[in-house]
Every structure is written in C-alpha cells, then in structure tokens.
Amino acid sequence: MIQLKRIHIEEFRGIRELDLALDCKSFVIVGPNGSGKSGVVDAIDFALTGNVARLSGAGTAGISVLKHGPHVDRRNDPASAVVALTLYDTESGQEGTLTRTVKTANKFTLEPCTPELMRAVAWAGKHPELILSRREVIKYVNAEPGKRAQEVQALLKLDRIDETRRLLRSALTKSSTTANAAAGDLKTSEDAVRRHLDVTSLLTPEIAAIINRHRAVLGLDPLDTLTIDTDLSAGIVSEGGRTSFNKYSAVRDVEALNEYLGDHDALSRTVAELLSALDELDADPTLVEALRHRELVEVGAPLITGPSCPLCDQPWTSREALEAHLAEKLGRSEKAAGIRADIQRLASRTAAELRRARALVQALVPHAGAVGSKDLQASLVGWTAAISAREAKLATIECVRQEADGLAADPFLAPANVGENLRGLVVALLAVPDLSATDAARTYLAVAQERWGRLRQARASSSKSAAAAKTAQAVYDSYNAVADEALESLYSSVQNDFSNFYRRINEDDELAFKAELAPAAGRLDLAVDFYGLGMFPPMAYHSEGHQDGMGVCLYLALVVQLLKSDFRLAVLDDVVTSVDANHRRRFCDLLRESFPGVQFIMTTHEEVWARQMQSAGLVARQSMARFYGWTVHGGPHYEQGGDIWTLIDADLAQDDVPSAAHKLRRSLEASLADITASLQGQVIFRPDNNYELGSFFASVRGRYGDLLKKAANSANSWNNDAAKHLVEGLKKLRSEAILAQEGENWAINALVHNNDWATLSKADFSPVVSACKQFVDLFKCSSAGCGSWIYVVGAPGKEESLRCACGSLNLNLRCK
C-alpha cells in the first residue's frame, strides 16, 4: 500500500544526519558491520510504527525508545531525534511526508494530511512485519512448534486464535474440574445411602422394598413408585424424640471410614505420581521460575487493552510490543506448562480422594455427639477442617509444592490414636439402648430421607456440571476444528508459495523440494523434503545456509498471504546475506520476477552481494548507498549512487594507485564471475573455488564472441535486418574493447597477478581502468534504469536468446 521516496534522519540512534533518495524503487545499503546501516532500518521502523523492534522483546529490559532512541550525544533531548519519510500511497497515488520525533513517539505529523494518506499511514503502523531483521528470519523455521505457531499467527494477525483457544481451554479445565468434584460428591452421597440402607447397589425395587418394610412398621402406606424426588419419610409424625440418629447406620459409617483408612490404594498411587511430577519440576529451578512467569502472563495477557501492562501499569512502546514480549515468555515455558498440566491433573485427583475421606469423617461428627463424646466430636471437626484446608491448597502449583512433604507423610492428616478412638466410638454406639420398633423405623426413615435428599442434590449438581463440561468440551473441539480447518487452508497456500520460492532459489539441486505445514491445537509443525529421502524438520539435515534461505522464503510466503496486493514494501536488514553465495543471483531473480511491484530496501555488509543485486537488475545503479564507517560523534560516513568506477577515479585523483587497483581487482573478480555465470561460460573447475581472474577474462571474451556469431546466424536465417544491424554494432564494440584491453595487457597481467600492480603509476594505471570498464560494459544493459548483466536463456548447446533483465536487449539465438 505504501512505498518510500525519501528518508531524512536527524539525531536518531547512531545517525547524526542522513538523507537518502529511495524513489519508490528497490534499494540496497552496503557497508561493513558497525557502519550504521541498521540505524536506517530502525528509523523506518520508528517512523511507521512509533516503535523500534530492536529495542523490545527478550533481553531488552530497561531499554526504551524514549531513553535510547536519540543519538547518545542528544540522549537528554528526545525532541531532537527526528525521522521524516516521504511516502507514496500506491492506492490513491498521493504523496506525503510523515514526520515523527522520539519525544512524542506515539504521535506524528503528515503533510498533506489527506484521508487517503492517513489511512495508508495507519495501515503501515499496524504492519511491523514489513521490516525483518536477520535474527528474526530463523524463528519461523527452527522454532518449537508451539512457538512457531505463535510467531506465524502473530505475523498473519491470527494471534487472537491462540488467545481464544487458551481462554476456551481454561474454561474447559475449570468446568471439567467442577464436574469431577461434583461426580465425587455424587459418589460420596451414593455411598452414604448404601451404608445406611445396608445395600450394595441403588436398585430402585430393592430400595423401595426396604423403605416400605419400615413404613409398614409405622402403619404408613407403601410407596408405589420410587424416584429421586420421592419423600421416603412422607407421613411420619414427629413425637419429639431424636429422629436423625440410627445406631446401626452410624456403626456402618464408622466402619466405612476405618475401611478407607486401611485400604486407600487409589489415593496412595495418585499421591506417588503427584510427588514424582513435583520432583521433576524441582529438579530444574528454571522450570519453576518459568512456571511462575507463565501463570502471571496467562492472567495478564487477556487483560491487555493498550500499551501498558495490566498487572503493573508499566508503559510499553506499543500494545503489539507488549503482546509479543508476553508471547515469547509463554513460548519459553512450554515444557514447564506440560509438567504443570500433569501436576494439576494429579492434584485434582488427590483433592477428589480427600473430599471422599472428608465426607466419611464429617458423617461421624453427629454420631460422636449422639453418644456424648465431646472430645472426639471436636477432634473430628478439627480433622474435617484440616482435610478441607489441604484440599484448597491443592488448587495452585505453589501450594501443592508446599504440601508435598505433608502428602508424603500423611495424606489424611489423621489425628493421633484415631484407630483407638474410632473403635471406642463403635463400642459407644452399640451400647446405646435399642429403640422400640416404631422409633427405630421412624429414625431409620428420617436418616434415609436426609441422605436421599443429599443424593438428589448431588445428582442435580453432577448432571448440571457434567452438561456444562460437555458443552465446554464441544465448544473447544468445535473451535479447534473450525480454526484448524481454516488454518490448514491458509497454511496450504503458504506452504505452496514457500516451496515454490525455495525451489526457485535452489533449482540446481532441490528442484523437487516441498514443505508441509501442519497446524494442530496451538502448534505448527514444519517438515521439509531432503533430496527425496523423506520429510524432516529443517534442522535435521539441511545446512544453516539452507535453513536461512528457508526462513526468508517462508517469510515472503507469509507476507504474501497476509497482504496480498497490498504487499508493496519490505525492509530486509541483513536478511539477504543469509542466502548462500551460490544461490544469490536466483534469489535476486525471485524478488525481481515474483514481486515486480514491491520495493525492497535491503542492507548487507558484502559489496559483492550488493553488486549482484545491481547486475541482476533488482537494484538500479543510483539505488545504492555505501556506508564506509561510523564514529560515535559523527555517525555514518556514506554516499549514494556512486559506482565502483567513481570510487576508483576518486582514489586515482588522490594518487592512491594501490587502493584503486585493489578495488578494480575485487570488482573484476565479482563482475566477471557473474558475467561468466550469466553467459554460461566455461572455466577450469577449482575445488577450492579460487578461480583466476585471467580465466574469467578468457572465458567471457570467447563465449561472448560465440554468442554473437549465433545471433548473427539467427538474424540471417530469419532475414531480420534490425537484428543484423544490432549484432554488427555489438561485434564492433567487442572488437574495440578487446583492442583496448590488449593494448593494456602488460598492466592487466600485473593486475591479474596479485600484488604486481603495486609498482604502477597513476599514468600507467588510468588506461587500465578505462580498458577494463570498456570491456565490462560490453556485458551490461545500456538502459539507465536497468544496468543488469546480459544473460543466456536456454541450456548450453540449446541457447534460445541473449537478453537483459529489462528486455531492452533480446537477441534470438535460434535459427530457422
């Protein structure tokens, strides 16, 4: 949607003052490491977003744009740090100047301030992915599947998917925990009914028969039907005595607790597994710390509404920077999250067992009071409270860790002499005088109704919570299915583009390359083909250079998917350097041919790589800035548009022949290697890749002559007078360049043989420069806007045409 025409920088980062004319064309900034190239990238980032990505994220604590955006000499004057971008809105055709200062980074001025330009600037501010540094490239390829999903979805503006997924997962976990607790309470209530009725199952006919037998003793009508809503004690008239105590039922309650205390394998196994998971967590202190951070992040992330932390109110440069920082923290704690899930699951099971034990203890409290054992009753009340407190502590990881020793020693927190006290309670219960038949029947039915009522409530609660958990599971599964289906379709398009881009760059050895992106709940797995031997993670077999190339290609595929026709600008900070040397020309071809409407602004520390961009037609001659060095107080030393010949002339003007000769030799090595490859010339293979400059001279001279002969034969066979005339002109230029070269052979030979040029004078060397330039220019498109090397289309022996990148030269090499 936008492209850049000019950039003006003052007192920003390491730059004092800088102006570059970008002219909405692809542009390269070349210079050694530490020369200030990335300062330009930071300036573009800041102007468009109000933020500097390099100053946020992991490892940047205490660093901010306000404090560290201005040049160090003006660090206390943020208003002096200014970046102005003259931008072009490709949609409306309007041009405007966007200006932003560090002092008011969240505000900008725009002249003219039209609705169309404001919309374009707002759009750019929401797309920080337009700017990519080398350190970010590899994260798309070599990250863990969970982290990769976060990074890719953040770039594609799909990060809300994972946030929603986490919220739904949290709701599912809570509803499942509630349902499990309700199911445990239901089992406890069922056990209480079974104990009182002294039955092994809750079959309705069996229960009805027992209840009706006791109702008959009281002369009450039998119950014809029995449902959970039936009042088992209907018709009973209270006579003022105790109606909620039945000694035989009470004895069975005590025996149930004794039995559980003696045999609780389920609890013992669960506690053992829980302690083992805690040991794994405690064995690595970094996991504990990561877990603490993760819990805090998961609480705070959904609360973010602006560029400040919702938990501590710490300001951030932008909401996006804060969200990216929190997402990175979550990614680093994936292992801890897995252990946490195990601990939470086991803690929940332990709590369920403790609830069962607590219910058994609580049932004895009224029985102890019934026999007048106040001390035992108080002990049971305290025991119940202690178990309840332990249950509550199992709700958080930190409290579970604190309870570990206690769980290992005594999960029940049983008081001293509990066995003896329970035996004494049984004796006391059995010593209670038997009631009359009618009183016994009355109390039996009263206790039965009390427990039947609790069972009704437990069933209703369990049914309701189970339905809620089922709904939460259905919603979570449906969301995952819909999200994954949509993501699969999206990623299918991405993986096709990714595979195609990578094949274009590596067509010489990986023409059959393919990739697979497989999204799953919160994950994004990436597998790539390795020479037809199978699909593997990128790090498994591919070299680092190939992995870097994959990172660039995947980034381009993702941005294409996100922006589609709005993809008109990309700023790549030292990213192209990651493409290995053997495939850089194809990478240039990929950018030029697949993204003809995109302005690429690139930085590199390799002069040869920058020249390859020019020779491939990706970058025009004037679209290059050279950074020569940098000083703290002066900033970068740079120039724009000067080519290598201008630099050589500058050295000769200073009588610095050694520097001029060094530049010439280095330039010829790079240029003639490119020309040899473009013309499909032949040189003697060198396993060390150290080819002699003389071999390149001979190769391109002979090969070009052969190609012009083919072009002449083709023109004659097709009777193409225009082509005949063009070929004759090119032959003449070739002859003149060769004559000039031969005239300076003695000096060129000195140049070829390393340091022999050191003894040459300026008068000797100037003609050499002219002859070499004349020779090299034979192979360069004469169009001012192109300047690419000419190249052969077709395989050796089956050449089809000789042409340049812009199409100004297009000679047919095929005969009739």
Side-chain angles (χ1 to χ4, degrees), residues 134-375:
R134 189 177 186 279
R135 68 174 183 169
E136 296 176 302
V137 169
I138 206 66
K139 70 184 180 182
Y140 299 114
V141 175
N142 289 346
E144 294 292 329
K147 178 65 173 175
R148 181 186 297 115
Q150 293 173 0
E151 296 288 356
V152 169
Q153 289 179 11
L155 187 147
L156 293 176
K157 309 301 180 186
L158 301 174
D159 41 324
R160 296 289 295 181
I161 288 180
D162 261 2
E163 182 179 335
T164 303
R165 200 192 302 269
R166 282 195 298 271
L167 291 174
L168 291 177
R169 182 65 194 177
S170 177
L172 174 59
T173 299
K174 290 179 180 178
S175 62
S176 297
T177 300
T178 301
N180 291 336
D185 292 342
L186 175 59
K187 186 177 185 305
T188 296
S189 297
E190 290 174 342
D191 288 343
V193 172
R194 277 193 291 266
R195 285 198 307 273
H196 176 67
L197 300 181
D198 198 16
V199 296
T200 57
S201 65
L202 296 181
L203 296 175
T204 300
E206 185 178 356
I207 295 173
I210 295 172
I211 295 300
N212 284 333
R213 189 163 60 247
H214 287 79
R215 289 178 64 84
V217 173
L218 297 174
L220 299 174
D221 294 335
L223 300 175
D224 295 330
T225 58
L226 182 65
T227 68
I228 193 63
D229 296 317
T230 300
D231 183 357
L232 305 184
S233 60
I236 293 179
V237 178
S238 174
E239 297 184 358
R242 289 181 301 175
T243 60
S244 60
F245 174 76
N246 182 281
K247 75 174 187 179
Y248 297 107
S249 177
V251 168
R252 287 192 289 273
D253 286 344
V254 178
E255 290 173 346
L257 178 57
N258 266 323
E259 181 180 347
Y260 188 77
L261 292 175
D263 182 10
H264 47 270
D265 286 347
L267 176 62
S268 298
R269 287 194 302 271
T270 302
V271 168
E273 292 178 31
L274 176 59
L275 295 175
S276 176
L278 289 172
D279 288 341
E280 182 180 358
L281 182 64
D282 291 336
D284 187 350
T286 61
L287 290 179
V288 178
E289 189 66 21
L291 200 53
R292 289 196 184 102
H293 288 173
R294 186 179 183 90
E295 290 172 345
L296 187 63
V297 169
E298 288 179 334
V299 169
L303 305 178
I304 296 175
T305 57
S308 62
C309 176
L311 302 179
C312 67
D313 292 329
Q314 175 70 29
W316 281 71
T317 54
S318 68
R319 174 177 176 172
E320 291 74 17
L322 174 58
E323 289 177 333
H325 175 69
L326 296 182
E328 187 173 9
K329 278 185 172 291
L330 288 174
R332 290 201 306 266
S333 60
E334 284 297 324
K335 180 179 179 182
I339 297 176
R340 180 184 67 173
D342 290 339
I343 292 175
Q344 289 175 328
R345 174 177 53 82
L346 294 167
S348 178
R349 284 169 49 187
T350 301
E353 288 295 322
L354 290 178
R355 278 195 299 274
R356 180 183 175 192
R358 174 167 57 84
L360 292 173
V361 175
Q362 200 164 14
L364 303 190
V365 173
H367 302 335
V371 298
S373 180
K374 301 299 183 183
D375 290 341

Side-chain angles (χ1 to χ4, degrees), residues 447-764:
V447 173
Q449 175 55 34
E450 179 186 338
R451 299 192 179 188
W452 192 253
R454 286 202 297 268
L455 176 60
R456 180 177 64 253
Q457 294 174 351
R459 281 186 177 176
S461 177
S462 180
S463 176
K464 182 179 179 180
S465 57
K470 184 178 180 180
T471 299
Q473 183 70 62
V475 171
Y476 181 71
D477 290 343
S478 296
Y479 181 83
N480 281 337
V482 172
D484 288 346
E485 182 179 357
L487 289 175
E488 283 175 6
S489 175
L490 184 151
Y491 288 137
S492 175
S493 177
V494 170
Q495 79 179 20
N496 290 338
D497 286 342
F498 167 43
S499 301
N500 179 49
F501 294 160
Y502 186 80
R503 283 194 298 268
R504 290 278 304 277
I505 296 175
N506 299 274
E507 61 184 17
D508 56 335
D509 60 347
E510 291 194 80
L511 193 56
F513 175 87
K514 61 181 179 179
E516 292 178 356
L517 284 166
R523 294 169 55 90
L524 180 60
D525 292 306
L526 172 62
V528 297
D529 171 73
F530 186 71
Y531 296 95
L533 299 176
M535 304 295 291
F536 306 96
M539 292 181 67
Y541 297 111
H542 280 89
S543 68
E544 288 189 8
H546 283 81
Q547 292 172 39
D548 285 349
M550 289 180 197
V552 178
C553 292
L554 183 53
Y555 164 79
L556 291 172
L558 290 167
V559 173
V560 167
Q561 182 63 40
L562 171 66
L563 303 181
K564 296 183 170 53
S565 61
D566 286 335
F567 182 32
R568 304 299 297 274
L569 171 69
V571 182
L572 308 179
D573 186 16
D574 219 17
V575 169
V576 290
T577 305
S578 62
V579 179
D580 60 280
N582 294 333
H583 300 114
R584 288 179 178 176
R585 182 177 183 85
R586 294 195 188 96
F587 181 74
C588 291
D589 292 341
L590 171 68
L591 296 187
R592 179 171 51 80
E593 295 171 5
S594 297
F595 306 97
V598 178
Q599 179 187 25
F600 290 100
I601 299 174
M602 298 160 284
T603 69
T604 179
H605 59 269
E606 296 187 23
E607 174 75 25
V608 174
W609 191 192
R611 289 182 57 76
Q612 284 177 317
M613 295 182 203
Q614 286 189 322
S615 66
L618 177 62
V619 172
R621 296 180 186 179
Q622 296 301 315
S623 297
M624 177 188 289
R626 284 185 172 84
F627 282 39
Y628 298 107
W630 176 89
T631 61
V632 173
H633 303 296
H637 302 292
Y638 75 99
E639 69 171 10
Q640 178 180 349
D643 61 11
I644 191 66
W645 306 107
T646 302
L647 299 178
I648 292 172
D649 289 342
D651 285 338
L652 291 179
Q654 300 295 323
D655 288 326
D656 189 354
V657 174
S659 293
H662 176 76
K663 287 184 175 66
L664 179 58
R665 179 182 177 82
R666 189 76 178 92
S667 174
L668 289 174
E669 286 174 342
S671 299
L672 291 178
D674 284 348
I675 297 168
T676 302
S678 298
L679 299 184
Q680 301 176 358
Q682 296 181 354
V683 293
I684 299 174
F685 175 71
R686 296 289 299 270
D688 59 1
N689 210 34
N690 289 324
Y691 293 96
E692 295 182 358
L693 189 56
S695 298
F696 286 133
F697 268 117
S699 176
V700 298
R701 187 167 53 229
R703 176 60 169 166
Y704 188 46
D706 291 341
L707 291 172
L708 291 180
K709 289 179 182 178
K710 288 178 179 287
N713 292 336
S714 172
N716 288 327
S717 70
W718 292 97
N719 198 25
N720 187 334
D721 292 335
K724 292 178 186 178
H725 180 73
L726 177 58
V727 171
E728 288 303 316
L730 292 175
K731 284 183 175 182
K732 180 181 178 181
L733 290 174
R734 176 179 177 274
S735 298
E736 291 173 353
I738 290 176
L739 285 174
Q741 183 190 27
E742 289 177 346
E744 301 299 333
N745 262 345
W746 67 276
I748 292 176
N749 288 334
L751 180 71
V752 167
H753 293 91
N754 297 314
N755 294 327
D756 292 351
W757 41 259
T759 60
L760 297 179
S761 67
K762 175 181 177 181
D764 291 332

